[in-house]
């Protein structure tokens, strides 16, 4: 049984302007131990969806199941107990400014049955886990954004949750600090076996650590799948737009539009974009086709990254040579799971 199952969930709100449908017939299946990304523009319904996962927002219709238990069927007492197994961190940290770092973490252990000394000891242990125990006696105002988020993560882990919900947890952080926090979340996932649900509006965040991703638009899921597959073969226009923001290959559009000398073609030449579509690509394909088919590939630029342990991205190049050789090279690349797009020809 999956860790989190969302079945036909709809959520509407009554406002002064009428009823607003924040979620529309959402279905998701998040396996235990996954790092699952949910991405969308502002107002897409991401935060509402993640709040439905612990019933901070109660769905108007449909159900949420955690390890097979429907949250809507639980009593108030049972729901409070279930929420202890679901930690949550936010964009703006939500730390108490008048309490020290260790006190902020220990505060989450109220009602746990632990003594004051035991709560402090556990809080210190969690601060060591997230590598900020040296700031135990500091106050939030004395911390950087990344340090505050580490404290917030430690606090979210206080009750030994099996699920960690991250609502735009890196949106207030600079790129370098974002990478550090994502690396920490991945480490916690691996060492504790904790399921991580990551809400984001940047595809680069999802690409970094998520195993699967769902793309939301206007309260619904428009695309869902394994992260590599979604990046390599995006189906929905919104997904392609999101992925385009992470790819340097989009620069070719600007060069072509401005008629840059970098993309000036001689008769018989063409500009192609080569993109990886499968995990299996590991051969030196460009050097091979250049040698084997007697063509020239003048690389304008390339952008290749690693997603889920496999290369993704591609290369933009000017191809010249005998037309038959170009065609044969193209067919060979396609057979090796490389998408070949002709952007311009002369």
């Amino acid at each position: 049984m999956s860790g989190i199952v969302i079945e036909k969930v709809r959520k509407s709100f009554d406002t002064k302007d009428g009823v607003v449908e924040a979620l529309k017939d959402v279905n998701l299946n998040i396996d235990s131990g996954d790092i699952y990304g949910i991405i969308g523009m502002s107002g897409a319904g991401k935060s509402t969806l993640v709040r439905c996962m612990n019933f901070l927002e109660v769905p108007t219709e449909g159900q949420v199941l955690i390890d097979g238990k429907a949250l809507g069927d639980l009593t108030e007492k049972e729901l409070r107990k279930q929420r202890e197994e679901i930690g949550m961190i936010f964009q703006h940290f939500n730390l108490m400014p008048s309490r020290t770092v260790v006190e902020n973490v220990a505060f989450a252990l109220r009602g746990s049955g632990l003594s004051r000394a035991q709560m402090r000891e556990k809080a210190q242990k969690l601060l060591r886990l997230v590598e900020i125990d040296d700031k135990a006696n500091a106050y939030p105002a004395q911390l950087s954004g990344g340090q505050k988020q580490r404290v917030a993560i430690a606090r979210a882990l206080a009750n030994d949750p099996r699920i960690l919900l991250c609502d735009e947890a890196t949106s207030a952080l600079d790129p370098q600090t974002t990478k550090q926090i994502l690396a920490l979340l991945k480490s916690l996932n691996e060492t504790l076996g904790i399921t991580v649900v990551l809400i984001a509006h940047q595809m680069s965040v999802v690409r970094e650590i998520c195993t699967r991703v769902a793309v939301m638009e206007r309260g619904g899921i428009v695309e869902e799948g394994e992260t590599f597959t979604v990046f390599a073969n995006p189906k929905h226009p919104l997904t392609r737009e999101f992925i385009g923001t992470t790819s340097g290959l989009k620069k070719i559009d600007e060069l072509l539009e401005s008629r840059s000398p970098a993309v000036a073609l001689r008769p018989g030449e063409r500009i192609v974009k080569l993109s990886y579509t499968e995990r299996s690509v590991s051969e030196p394909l460009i050097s091979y086709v250049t040698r084997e088919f007697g063509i020239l590939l003048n690389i304008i630029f390339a952008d290749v990254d690693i997603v889920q342990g496999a290369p993704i991205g591609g290369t933009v190049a000017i191809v010249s040579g005998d037309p038959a050789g170009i065609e044969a090279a193209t067919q060979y690349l396609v057979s090796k799971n490389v998408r070949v797009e002709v952007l311009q020809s002369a």
Side-chain angles (χ1 to χ4, degrees), residues 179-197:
K179 279 187 170 290
Q180 293 169 357
I181 294 299
L182 292 176
L184 173 60
L185 291 173
K186 186 173 183 178
S187 174
L188 294 172
N189 167 261
E190 292 171 348
T191 57
L192 303 179
I194 193 168
T195 303
V196 178
V197 180

Side-chain angles (χ1 to χ4, degrees), residues 4 24 174 239 256 293:
I4 306 172
K24 305 171 185 176
D174 62 79
T239 311
L256 290 172
F293 299 104

Side-chain angles (χ1 to χ4, degrees), residues 92-239:
H92 296 298
F93 324 124
N94 294 350
L95 301 179
M96 294 176 286
S98 62
R99 294 177 183 266
T100 65
V101 163
V102 70
E103 288 169 346
N104 264 277
V105 178
F107 188 78
L109 291 164
R110 293 172 307 146
S112 64
L114 299 177
S115 68
R116 186 182 295 270
Q118 288 171 324
M119 286 192 291
R120 189 177 182 90
E121 181 183 354
K122 184 168 185 180
Q124 291 277 15
K125 180 180 178 182
L126 289 167
L127 291 173
R128 284 195 297 274
L129 181 65
V130 300
E131 300 178 352
I132 197 169
D133 50 307
D134 60 322
K135 298 291 185 181
N137 296 315
Y139 287 88
Q142 299 171 298
L143 305 180
S144 68
Q147 290 171 331
K148 290 177 183 176
Q149 196 59 288
R150 287 178 185 270
V151 178
I153 293 170
R155 181 185 58 191
L157 296 173
N159 289 295
D160 305 311
R162 292 181 295 110
I163 296 168
L164 184 61
L165 306 179
C166 308
D167 191 2
E168 301 280 10
T170 61
S171 294
L173 306 177
D174 62 79
Q176 184 58 36
T177 306
T178 292
K179 279 187 170 290
Q180 293 169 357
I181 294 299
L182 292 176
L184 173 60
L185 291 173
K186 186 173 183 178
S187 174
L188 294 172
N189 167 261
E190 292 171 348
T191 57
L192 303 179
I194 193 168
T195 303
V196 178
V197 180
L198 188 66
I199 302 297
H201 63 267
Q202 295 174 312
M203 209 65 169
S204 57
V205 171
V206 170
R207 179 182 63 190
E208 195 77 21
I209 63 169
C210 293
T211 51
R212 295 185 70 84
V213 59
V215 182
M216 292 193 70
E217 184 179 40
R218 298 177 183 175
I221 304 294
V222 296
E223 188 158 356
E224 194 274 344
E226 189 180 40
T227 303
F228 182 93
T229 303
V230 170
F231 267 82
N233 294 290
K235 306 299 183 187
H236 193 274
L238 179 62
T239 311

